[in-house]
Amino acid sequence: MLLDLREVHAHYGRAHILQGVTLSVAPGEVLALLGRNGAGKSTTMKAIMGLVRPSGGEVRFEGTDLAGREPHEIARAGIGYVPEERRIFTELTVAENLSVGRRPPRAGLEPWSEARIFEIFPPLAAMRARAGGRMSGGEQQMLTIGRTLMGNPRLLLLDEPSEGLAPVIVERMADAILRLKREGLTVLLSEQNLHFARIVADRAAVLEKGRIRWEGAMDALMADDAARAEFLAV
Amino acid sequence: MLENLLVQGLSGLASASSLFLVASGLTVIFGVTRIVNFAHGSLYMLGAYLAWTLVTGLPRGHLGFWGGVLGAALIVGVVGVLIEVLLLRRIYKAPELFQLLATFGVVLIVQDVALLVWGPQDLLGPRAPGLRGATEVFSVRFPLYELFLISVGPVVLVLLWLLFHRTRWGTLVRAATADREMVGALGVNQRMLFTTVFFLGAFLAGLGGALQLPRESVNLQMDLAVIAEAFVVVVIGGLGSLPGAFLAALLLGQMQAFGILIFPKITLVLAFLVMAVVLVVRPHGLLGKAPSTQHAAGPVEPLLRPSPREVRLLGWGLLALAVAVPPFLGDYALIVLTEIAVMMLFAASLHFIMGPGGMASFGHAAYFGLGAYGAALLVKHFAAPMELGLLAAPFAAGLAGVVFGWFCVRLSGVYAAMLTLAFAQIAWSAAFQWTELTGGDNGVLGVWPSGWASDKLTFYYLALALCTGATLLLRRAIFSPFGYALRAGRDSPLRAEAIGMDGFRIRWFAFVLAAVAAGIAGGVFAYAKGSVFPTYMAIPRSVDALLMVLLGGVQTVSGPIVGALAYTWLHEQLMRLFELWRLFLGGVILALVLFFPQGLAGAIGRRGGRE
Ligand SMILES: Nc1ncnc2c1ncn2[C@@H]1O[C@H](COP(=O)(O)OP(=O)(O)OP(=O)(O)O)[C@@H](O)[C@H]1O
Ligand SMILES: [Mg+2]
């Protein structure tokens, strides 16, 4: 397995948010992390990234324990994080945003370059010199993914990439992710949009109140009306 | 006449350059680390001293003037790195107040180190080779070196712009200024970034100081003088904006150059006026933006509760002792006790705006000192009796509180702290420079109590009554409806505004009240000592008050009283035992900040359990 979480707990102050999350991501797969608002999807990603210190359990990446590592060390180890709020540097241009994410090439991966990012997200090519703050939500979403790809990650943590986007853009996003997957990137995807998850994901894990309550093939979840009703229906 | 104005304008441009160097470093460091480096003026001073040593101390022709200047700036850059690595790196997560205080500790330490190494006398620097002469500018002779300095500002601005916009390091710094955490999650080592930014900021400050060498003598007052000006520049220009800092430095340089023609004695008053106008029109400075509240949710301060019964009983017991025992004490003990009573009120007045008000003041001594001067000037110029002087003290301080407070309470956090410090420095320099009125450095002597109170014991009782009375009134105010409104405004400003409370007026009133109380303390202090000096308003006295409040704990009502007792005693001992008490005090501050980053009160409260 590329990434293993075992019994991970996390707190915000007194609030016990993750209550023992256990899940694994195999190399090359896209795993959809599903769950209602507030289930703990984003917190799981932050715990992997070291942005929230797990208060218990273990996170392993390529077999090594990430305990106590700083976010920048985790990023350098090969995990790319795309936050839900996108967090574009609004004063920086598109090209500069991409350059912040740039890291040295990684063995066995084709290195990412600005040109290659523009190939997947063509709209960005036309706005190289535009400030990040003057872009639409969809364009910002492309930029934030591109920025993280520039770090040549082996594993991509994608937090709700379809959130707040028009259907056309969502489809383009799905295409981009499928393409990344074909090129061998492993993805952990947090989603609320089941339609989107179904297109791109191989497997699904469903969170509720900080615990994984369902795990299996994406198709199996789509076939299991009872599980969807219990854990996902609003 | 016209030529005269031209020369003034040019020399204003020349001083703007050094000011810009210091302010730009301050702004860049703040942008990335969110720390306002109060020690930035000390780095400037170190730059000047080191350049003096490198240029004059080394065998001739070794480094030369320019080598010396550059060498000094580089050494100061390294000193900045040491400060960052050894001190600030450990406290990036500590409350703002502690970070400010820590850099303050550095100010004190550098002052004594400079005193030790270079001695108390002013040092005269050499002229710059090749730029010794003067040139004709519109038929007026103008020193070449000044012309050179004028060009330094814009050149550095352009170089910095290139550095920040044309290098990857600069891109990373700008990104980190916007969102540090995200930059870290993208694999950038923030530590390296912070350290290099600190090097750059310190280097600029050191360069600014070193370049002053041919212009003015090097002395031990340079640090605080320049930091107050740099704060004014940064507040006017907008924190975080380099062009803003440049513009503001030009503005301030001109103000000071022409201020000499208008108010020859108090040039800083003009700076104050400019700042006032700018802040009214653009509260975040000329080119500044409103600080983002995105990732800045601080922890909610604990509520202030009335002291438990035992503490209250203990307090009354202490007061009973303070009344009953003194008749059996000697003069020295009475003097110390009087001072403790004064300091208790001084600390309580600062605590009033810091605890319930939630505003940090780094210039509270201004109101203490203005109280003292309010009384002393009446004595000096009108031979007023003590009773009148004691009335004038809170009045003078309160008036300053009304004016300064109106600006300070509009800002929050580090902005407010910088502004309070700048105001205090303005008040100090007015007292220092306006010799006709205040006697300048020599102070005002002969401020003695009236006949009936001239005996040490009687005066002690008078001081005790005034100070205890005022302290108790302040405590009353904390638990009055006004005090509740003040705390509500501190804890959730938006909600408080929503239910119709005018947060601004409430904070302003609290500020004035604190100033009045500090003024009473200052007035009593003046008569206790018999004299008043500009040092009453100087920054170390503001730090005294802060330390008293922090020692006692910001969020305990009895804190300032305990803090004043402990601190006055400690200070007395330190001054008696150590020649270099600033060094020692600075060390104590650093230890306090490093080992109790949550405050003493927080440390004790935390004993119960972790998280
Ligand atoms: N910074 C924070 N401080 C305190 N509580 C937080 C913080 N961030 C999230 N929470 C709480 O943690 C819980 C889990 O939040 P999280 O963001 O992980 O949910 P999510 O599954 O990503 O939800 P969504 O689909 O809305 O993004 C929520 O109850 C939320 O209120
Ligand atoms: Mg989320």
Side-chain angles (χ1 to χ4, degrees), chain A residues 12 17 35-44 84 159-160 192:
Chain A
Y12 282 121
I17 306 296
R36 295 190 182 96
N37 284 118
K41 305 181 293 293
S42 299
T43 308
T44 304
E84 188 174 359
D159 200 348
E160 298 209 33
Q192 297 251 26

Side-chain angles (χ1 to χ4, degrees), chain B residues 100-361:
Chain B
L100 292 172
L101 205 67
T103 57
F104 236 112
V106 176
V107 171
L108 293 174
I109 291 174
V110 172
Q111 267 181 354
D112 262 0
V113 169
L115 176 66
L116 262 183
V117 177
W118 288 284
Q121 70 283 12
D122 287 14
L123 303 178
L124 279 176
R127 298 283 187 80
L131 296 176
R132 266 175 240 265
T135 182
E136 299 259 318
V137 181
F138 295 104
S139 75
V140 188
R141 287 179 61 74
F142 194 74
L144 272 175
Y145 190 74
E146 299 275 287
L147 281 183
F148 160 75
L149 274 186
I150 291 176
S151 68
V152 167
V155 167
V156 169
L157 180 64
V158 168
L159 286 179
L160 285 177
W161 192 89
L162 288 174
L163 181 64
F164 285 118
H165 289 85
R166 290 288 176 269
T167 67
R168 181 165 134 94
W169 181 82
T171 308
L172 292 182
V173 168
R174 283 189 299 139
T177 302
D179 189 345
R180 274 195 268 178
E181 193 185 60
M182 191 62 226
V183 171
L186 288 169
V188 176
N189 185 352
Q190 296 183 42
R191 285 221 183 99
M192 278 311 293
L193 209 55
F194 285 15
T195 308
T196 46
V197 160
F198 235 90
F199 176 81
L200 175 69
F203 173 84
L204 288 171
L207 188 63
L211 285 176
Q212 286 298 307
L213 207 52
R215 265 192 118 205
E216 47 188 289
S217 62
V218 186
N219 60 60
L220 290 167
Q221 280 85 49
M222 290 173 88
D223 52 350
L224 294 178
V226 83
I227 194 72
E229 284 180 20
F231 282 170
V232 173
V233 163
V234 165
V235 169
I236 292 179
L239 199 47
S241 163
L242 282 177
F246 184 69
L247 224 69
L250 285 185
L251 199 63
L252 201 68
Q254 291 305 319
M255 281 303 147
Q256 285 179 346
F258 287 106
I260 296 216
L261 300 177
I262 307 168
F263 297 113
K265 295 297 168 195
I266 33 175
T267 47
L268 266 176
V269 169
L270 264 184
F272 165 70
L273 289 178
V274 177
M275 183 161 70
V277 172
V278 170
L279 283 178
V280 171
V281 184
R282 293 190 58 95
H284 299 291
L286 290 175
L287 300 179
K289 287 185 225 80
S292 77
T293 46
Q294 200 190 353
H295 296 281
V300 176
E301 307 266 346
L303 276 178
L304 276 176
R305 295 222 174 72
S307 312
R309 239 177 84 84
E310 307 84 68
V311 174
R312 215 177 293 197
L313 281 178
L314 193 71
W316 288 117
L318 268 181
L319 186 60
L321 279 180
V323 173
V325 175
F328 309 102
L329 296 175
D331 272 3
Y332 176 72
L334 284 176
I335 291 172
V336 172
L337 281 180
T338 307
E339 198 162 314
I340 287 181
V342 168
M343 287 307 146
M344 174 185 71
L345 176 58
F346 185 32
S349 71
L350 176 61
H351 171 263
F352 186 72
I353 43 171
M354 274 176 73
M359 302 172 267
S361 170

Side-chain angles (χ1 to χ4, degrees), chain A residues 80-92:
Chain A
Y81 170 61
V82 180
E84 188 174 359
E85 317 84 7
R86 298 178 188 140
R87 294 167 81 164
I88 290 296
F89 305 116
T90 51
E91 311 253 300
L92 272 56

